[in-house]
Amino acid sequence: MIRVLLVHDACLVRKVLAEWLRGTPDLGVYDTPWRGAPGRARSIGPDVCAVDLECADSYGIPPLAELCGRGGGSPPPRLLVLASANRPGLLRRAAEAGALGYVDKEGSPDRLLFGIRRVAQGERFVDDSLGFGFLKAAEMPLTRRELSVLSLAAGGASVAEIAGSLHLSHGTVRNYMASITRKTGARNRVDAIRISQGEGWL
């Protein structure tokens, strides 16, 4: 039996997908929104976390590191993500978090089932249709930390709020914003957000 935790913030989509997966005899399927995902993963101890990268909480930053950590010496769950080629920033976050599986959200549900089984065996699975997204992710000029700062700024967070969320000083946040503005060729913070959203980095 493969224990699967399905993480998705859209309740209807999550419930329909979970019920469909439960029709497969070798899967034990649980589901949760992102808000409760890390705690649910710790209590269930899934083999695979199948997660939608579109996160409604935390200014749109999915807490992948929290989700994939497991204490007590037991192995962490393997990560499979539901992704889109037009969001290379999220693809890069998933890659940096050690995701093994990448399923295109525009694809067939059968691809998700196939991906879960591959990832549960410790094998990599990537939908071919996501290749362009990975190429764009490789060309992104912003670092992981700069993306985190900019994602929070795009969600309306102030310098103080960004500093508190990322455990940085106010001056460091301002330095990151200056670097982001320079790297994106933007005129200011608002322009940097606009450019980055247009490129799919956020």
Side-chain angles (χ1 to χ4, degrees), residues 21-46:
L21 289 171
R22 288 183 184 116
T24 306
D26 62 333
L27 299 186
V29 181
Y30 307 85
D31 66 275
T32 181
W34 269 108
R35 182 182 299 275
R40 197 81 192 277
R42 286 191 295 270
S43 64
I44 294 168

Side-chain angles (χ1 to χ4, degrees), residues 162-193:
I162 295 171
S165 295
L166 300 179
H167 308 291
L168 301 171
S169 70
H170 292 193
T172 299
V173 171
R174 291 190 184 93
N175 288 341
Y176 275 126
M177 287 305 308
S179 175
I180 290 165
T181 301
R182 184 180 68 256
K183 287 182 177 181
T184 57
R187 296 185 301 275
N188 50 42
R189 167 175 165 164
V190 173
D191 195 33
I193 292 169

